[in-house]
């Protein structure tokens, strides 16, 4: 019998992020507490730019955006935000999306699988993803459960289960 396998990836659905951003922008434009503070959120190339006239307001914009991401099923671990920066009369927060698993993070995940996972399970790094193989599908299910229970500082998705 052939080995069963799945891939561990860290990807973000760009359209869902765009929808969350549009919902946040609409809420900011309609909320009473954002009237007259020039608060905004928009794409700036590959980054997301949040602006407002005070540090507290720009953090509130970030909070609204994060809540919209959570409602759309996107992990906040995929969002890399900076600290509020003063720029003239306004404050800005820049955020970017983290995609792909770095070599170091892939090695951490592989080590967890090797040390705590069931016997006979192999994990190999393939670019920005990790392929996990085993003869037993039950062992693969155990690995998925094990990794979901761990708290990594990056988002994980499990794809191509066969």
């Amino acid at each position: 019998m052939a080995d069963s396998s799945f891939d561990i990836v860290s990807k973000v659905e760009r359209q869902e992020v765009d929808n969350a951003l549009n919902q946040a922008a609409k809420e900011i434009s309609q909320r009473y507490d954002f009237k007259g503070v020039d608060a905004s959120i928009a794409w700036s190339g590959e980054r997301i730019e949040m602006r407002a006239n005070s540090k507290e307001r720009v953090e509130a914009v970030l909070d609204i955006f994060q809540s919209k991401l959570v409602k759309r099923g996107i992990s906040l671990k995929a969002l890399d935000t900076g600290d509020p920066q003063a720029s003239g009369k306004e404050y800005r927060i820049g955020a970017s999306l983290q995609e792909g698993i770095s070599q170091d993070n892939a090695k951490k995940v592989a080590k967890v699988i090797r040390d705590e996972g069931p016997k006979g399970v192999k994990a190999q790094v393939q670019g920005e993803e990790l392929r996990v193989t085993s003869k037993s599908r039950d062992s693969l299910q155990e690995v998925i459960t094990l990794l979901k229970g761990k708290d990594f500082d990056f988002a994980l998705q499990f794809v191509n289960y066969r």
Side-chain angles (χ1 to χ4, degrees):
M1 186 175 136
D3 285 357
S4 300
S5 69
F6 69 89
D7 294 333
I8 301 172
V9 297
S10 182
K11 292 189 175 152
V12 176
E13 188 68 41
R14 176 88 178 198
Q15 185 61 50
E16 289 296 324
V17 174
D18 200 36
N19 290 342
L21 186 130
N22 291 335
Q23 283 181 336
K26 186 173 182 181
E27 182 174 325
I28 290 164
S29 71
Q30 292 175 346
R31 273 186 34 180
Y32 177 75
D33 56 337
F34 283 107
K35 296 288 186 227
V37 295
D38 296 331
S40 67
I41 181 170
W43 287 104
S44 174
E46 286 294 308
R47 294 180 54 80
I48 299 164
E49 216 34 65
M50 292 161 267
R51 300 171 183 213
N53 65 0
S54 73
K55 185 177 178 182
E56 292 77 23
R57 286 288 128 219
V58 78
E59 288 171 344
V61 170
L62 175 61
D63 189 47
I64 290 170
F65 181 54
Q66 287 176 335
S67 70
K68 299 299 180 193
L69 287 175
V70 169
K71 284 182 183 173
R72 295 201 153 268
I74 297 171
S75 172
L76 293 181
K77 292 178 182 177
L79 186 68
D80 183 25
T81 58
D83 292 326
Q85 302 289 323
S87 172
K89 290 184 177 180
E90 68 182 7
Y91 284 83
R92 296 179 181 180
I93 295 179
S96 60
L97 299 172
Q98 292 180 327
E99 291 193 290
I101 301 174
S102 70
Q103 291 290 327
D104 292 340
N105 289 338
K107 287 178 184 175
K108 285 180 195 172
V109 173
K111 183 171 176 16
V112 167
I113 293 170
R114 210 175 33 253
D115 294 347
E116 301 176 32
K119 298 288 179 227
V121 176
K122 296 183 192 85
Q124 62 190 89
V125 179
Q126 295 182 332
E128 291 191 335
E129 59 184 45
L130 200 65
R131 164 114 349 129
V132 181
T133 57
S134 173
K135 295 205 180 302
S136 163
R137 285 181 169 233
D138 291 339
S139 296
L140 293 180
Q141 291 288 345
E142 288 178 41
V143 169
I144 290 174
T145 305
L146 169 72
L147 293 177
K148 283 184 177 179
K150 296 288 179 187
D151 186 29
F152 294 105
D153 57 349
F154 51 96
L156 294 178
Q157 290 88 31
F158 307 99
V159 296
N160 296 338
Y161 185 80
R162 39 176 175 256

